[in-house]
């Protein structure tokens, strides 16, 4: 069996390693246009901020490691055309521009995503940078050295992590977003307010509710960002306004969502026989709504890549779908969320209710007992949980993984009240705060009317 893989970051690496183990006789070739494989973009902010000193730690595989599994890794090779009828790839060797064809029996598309770059005046100026891959992160580090003021456009999790990293390195920082709140996709206002407050205390300028209209420059380098509400003098701009699936190659050959995300079934099969896809190039089944959604995360990528391998020959192992669970640390705040926010539910016109509790996470007699705020969003009629958010100075983010499981298994908020969680004063109270949220949401029991004699 000849297996061709396009792209070798998280989804690609997971698919390759597992395919090599499961089918030792398979002839596997991976084409990757970068000069590296398996880069952990998740470490970019830590690398830029200086917490990760050795960039080698940001890679977990290499062509040598894959060769040990019998895999042929072709870096600096771009797949420029795919013919899924003839099962042929056209590949360009980037070093000399030579092109050649390669045939496959099974194709794995793990071409990932690319940052959204709006067509704005001045977007091509020097010092307007992206944050996606290893070379981007090195360029950011190099350019930031000489910058006094840095503007980050986009207050999603990548933007806010970079803002913290730049501020910690002594830069003046402005964060722009056209939404009124930071992290608005992940958190409701009670939570994002706390992060904004932490940013303001550190002197970070928040330009929220402002849309970037153009960039102006001097000597070819960006020097000013123009928004619909004002101007910001700056030395460096990092664009973090989101990602789009990198799937031009497959247009017209496999079914896609309107944004270009490849639609796969629960076995990671595309609409074309023998073509599989995984990771940021795909849509995922989003359990809270039961619909396909575009949620580019490394967690989805490694799971889907692994499933491609398990299902490559015979449909064997089903994808469970996702809640888009994610976590974040900004200064002293540990934040995590899973599923839908209340705001997102309103946009989806879902009839939901929510419960929010704030408590000390462990007994007050302990030497410290930080406060935790937890919100759980649930469907008003079925009482099924659809989302949750947590924030605390204590590290309690794993509880969102617990709630992710609950949502996946369609549990109700009332069941959460009485789920068995352990108690130990080092860690929690007799009622774990997750139980407490369920208890707070329990409907009242009406006493029966006194009988009339
Ligand atoms: C700054 C940052 C921080 C992040 N933090 C987190 C986090 O904390 N947690 C989390 O879960 N996720 C995080 N993510 C998201 C995560 O990195 C992505 O979801 C993940 O990288 C997706 O993996 P992938 O393999 O599907 O795609 P990609 O990482 O996009 O990789 C696709 C690969 O395909 C190659 N390729 C594409 N087209 C071709 C072609 N035609 N020929 C040859 N090669 C091709 C590309 O060069 C690339 O290497 C972060 C992302 C960024 C940018």
């Amino acid at each position: 069996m000849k297996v061709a893989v396009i792209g070798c970051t998280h989804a690609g690496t997971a698919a390759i390693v597992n395919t090599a183990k499961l089918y030792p006789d398979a002839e596997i070739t991976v084409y990757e246009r970068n000069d590296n494989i398996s880069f952990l973009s998740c470490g970019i902010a830590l690398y830029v901020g200086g917490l990760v000193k050795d960039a080698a730690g940001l890679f977990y595989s290499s062509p040598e490691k894959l060769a040990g599994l019998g895999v042929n890794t072709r870096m600096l090779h771009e797949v420029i055309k795919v013919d899924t009828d003839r099962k042929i790839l056209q590949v360009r060797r980037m070093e000399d521009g030579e092109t050649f064809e390669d045939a496959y029996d099974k194709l794995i598309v793990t071409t990932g995503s690319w940052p959204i770059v709006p067509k704005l005046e001045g977007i091509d100026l020097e010092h307007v940078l992206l944050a996606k891959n290893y070379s981007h992160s090195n360029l950011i580090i190099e350019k930031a050295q000489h910058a006094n003021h840095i503007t980050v456009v986009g207050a999603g999790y990548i933007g806010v992590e970079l803002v913290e990293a730049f501020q910690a390195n002594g830069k003046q920082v402005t964060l722009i977003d056209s939404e009124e709140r930071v992290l608005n996709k992940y958190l409701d206002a009670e939570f994002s307010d706390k992060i904004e407050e932490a940013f303001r205390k550190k002197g970070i300028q928040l330009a929220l509710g402002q849309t970037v209209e153009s960039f102006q420059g001097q000597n070819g380098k960006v020097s000013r960002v123009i928004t619909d509400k004002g101007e910001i003098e700056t030395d460096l701009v990092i664009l973090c306004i989101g990602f789009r699936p990198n799937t031009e190659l497959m247009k017209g050959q496999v079914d896609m969502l309107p944004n270009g995300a490849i639609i796969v079934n629960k076995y990671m099969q595309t609409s074309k026989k023998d073509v599989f896809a995984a990771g940021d190039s795909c849509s995922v089944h989003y359990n809270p709504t039961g619909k396909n959604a575009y949620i580019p995360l490394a967690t989805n990528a490694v799971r889907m890549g692994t499933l491609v391998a398990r299902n490559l020959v015979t449909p064997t192992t089903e994808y469970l779908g996702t809640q888009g669970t994610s976590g974040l640390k900004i200064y002293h705040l540990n934040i995590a969320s899973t599923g839908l926010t209340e705001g997102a539910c309103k946009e989806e016109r879902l009839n939901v209710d929510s419960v929010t509790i704030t408590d000390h996470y462990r007994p007050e007699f302990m030497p410290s007992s930080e406060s935790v705020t937890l919100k759980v969003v649930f469907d008003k009629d079925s009482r099924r949980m659809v989302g949750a958010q947590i924030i605390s100075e204590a590290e309690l983010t794993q509880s969102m993984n617990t709630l992710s499981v609950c949502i996946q298994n369609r549990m109700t908020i009332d069941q959460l009240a009485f789920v068995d969680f352990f108690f130990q004063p080092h860690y929690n109270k007799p009622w774990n705060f997750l139980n407490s949220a369920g208890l707070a949401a329990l409907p009242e029991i009406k006493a029966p009317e006194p009988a009339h004699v």
Side-chain angles (χ1 to χ4, degrees):
M1 178 171 67
K2 237 184 135 192
V3 182
V5 185
I6 316 175
C8 196
T9 306
H10 298 314
T13 308
I16 293 160
V17 169
N18 286 287
T19 300
K21 282 186 187 152
L22 290 170
Y23 319 100
D25 295 335
E27 190 188 318
I28 307 168
T29 304
V30 54
Y31 295 105
E32 169 54 60
R33 62 183 176 198
N34 285 336
D35 62 358
N36 57 72
I37 62 168
S38 79
F39 174 64
L40 282 159
S41 329
C42 335
I44 287 184
L46 298 169
Y47 181 41
V48 166
L51 207 77
V52 171
K53 303 258 182 294
D54 182 5
L58 297 170
F59 299 89
Y60 57 89
S61 191
S62 63
E64 295 73 32
K65 275 193 190 164
L66 294 186
L69 297 170
V71 176
N72 180 11
T73 306
R74 303 279 196 96
M75 293 197 300
L76 291 172
H77 280 67
E78 183 175 28
V79 176
I80 51 175
K81 205 169 168 200
V82 180
D83 183 337
T84 51
D85 292 328
R86 289 169 57 228
K87 294 194 165 183
I88 299 275
L89 302 181
Q90 199 175 336
V91 186
R92 189 170 67 91
R93 199 164 49 210
M94 293 164 76
E95 275 161 339
D96 56 13
E98 283 293 307
T99 60
F100 60 91
E101 288 193 342
D102 193 11
Y104 64 82
D105 299 310
K106 304 273 182 186
L107 176 64
I108 304 177
V109 182
T110 45
T111 48
S113 58
W114 194 249
I116 294 170
V117 182
K119 285 188 184 132
L120 296 177
E121 191 189 321
I123 193 86
D124 295 326
L125 284 165
E126 234 186 276
H127 293 194
V128 178
L129 306 181
L130 305 176
K132 164 76 181 170
N133 58 30
Y134 182 49
S135 67
H136 290 153
S137 57
N138 287 327
L139 199 60
I140 294 173
I141 291 171
E142 184 199 319
K143 301 293 183 194
Q145 273 174 6
H146 311 290
N148 291 320
H149 183 280
I150 302 178
T151 302
V152 175
V153 185
Y157 68 93
I158 295 170
V160 299
E161 280 184 338
L162 282 173
V163 161
E164 181 193 15
F166 291 134
Q167 185 279 326
N169 281 349
K171 308 293 174 187
Q172 287 176 16
V173 187
T174 299
L175 175 61
I176 306 180
D177 199 296
S178 48
E179 297 291 340
E180 297 289 343
R181 299 188 296 106
V182 301
L183 293 164
N184 82 311
K185 271 198 215 152
Y186 308 87
L187 303 171
D188 287 314
E190 314 89 285
F191 294 77
S192 56
D193 284 353
K194 293 187 178 165
I195 299 164
E196 289 169 17
E197 188 188 323
F199 277 157
R200 288 198 179 97
K201 274 193 187 147
K202 294 281 183 181
I204 290 160
Q205 290 216 310
L206 298 179
L208 300 173
Q210 297 198 29
T211 303
V212 174
E213 293 189 331
S214 62
F215 302 98
Q216 290 178 352
Q218 273 175 352
N219 307 322
K221 292 180 185 148
V222 74
S223 60
R224 193 174 291 147
V225 185
I226 315 292
T227 75
D228 56 349
K229 299 212 176 116
E231 298 183 4
I232 296 141
E233 303 276 334
T234 198
D235 305 309
L236 185 63
V237 172
I238 319 291
L239 276 184
C240 311
I241 60 171
F243 293 90
R244 59 166 183 77
N246 181 27
T247 53
E248 283 296 315
L249 204 55
M250 302 306 293
K251 280 250 157 82
Q253 311 215 46
V254 294
D255 291 348
M256 295 179 178
L257 292 186
N259 77 338
I262 298 172
I263 298 173
V264 287
N265 65 12
K266 56 192 173 192
Y267 299 111
M268 305 296 111
Q269 292 163 319
T270 67
S271 55
K272 193 89 186 190
K273 189 172 179 294
D274 292 329
V275 180
F276 294 74
D280 281 14
S281 59
C282 299
S283 68
V284 288
H285 182 80
Y286 189 47
N287 290 323
T289 58
K291 294 181 190 162
N292 278 330
Y294 187 59
I295 306 178
L297 281 175
T299 47
N300 289 332
V302 292
R303 276 195 292 268
M304 294 171 89
T306 303
L307 287 172
V308 165
R310 296 189 65 78
N311 296 312
L312 199 59
V313 177
T314 314
T316 308
T317 314
E318 289 183 10
Y319 186 48
L320 297 173
T322 176
Q323 282 68 249
T325 310
S326 61
L328 191 65
K329 185 171 190 306
I330 296 293
Y331 299 115
H332 53 294
L333 298 172
N334 300 288
I335 310 131
S337 68
T338 184
L340 293 159
T341 60
E342 200 165 13
C345 288
K346 287 201 176 120
E347 276 169 31
E348 290 262 343
R349 292 171 188 267
L350 298 176
N351 184 24
V352 294
D353 208 343
S354 71
V355 60
T356 303
I357 58 154
T358 297
D359 192 9
H360 293 269
Y361 80 101
R362 63 181 187 176
E364 289 73 7
F365 62 70
M366 294 299 285
S368 69
S369 175
E370 288 88 349
S371 164
V372 53
T373 299
L374 166 72
K375 177 171 183 173
V376 185
V377 184
F378 54 95
D379 183 89
K380 241 182 192 164
D381 303 320
S382 67
R383 301 191 57 83
R384 195 167 64 78
M385 290 179 277
V386 293
Q389 299 151 62
I390 192 164
I391 191 163
S392 177
E393 291 185 23
E395 209 300 85
L396 303 168
T397 53
Q398 291 297 326
S399 58
M400 285 305 99
N401 282 336
T402 307
L403 285 188
S404 172
V405 177
C406 296
I407 295 171
Q408 184 158 330
N409 288 311
R410 305 176 72 80
M411 285 177 63
T412 65
I413 184 76
D414 308 316
Q415 288 172 323
L416 183 67
F418 298 105
V419 171
D420 175 38
F421 295 126
F422 76 87
F423 162 53
Q424 211 292 326
H426 280 289
Y427 305 111
N428 60 359
K429 291 182 170 180
W431 280 117
N432 183 289
F433 54 85
L434 293 178
N435 291 135
S436 302
L439 287 168
L442 282 180
E444 282 178 16
I445 296 177
K446 288 202 181 105
E449 297 283 324
H452 293 289
V453 239

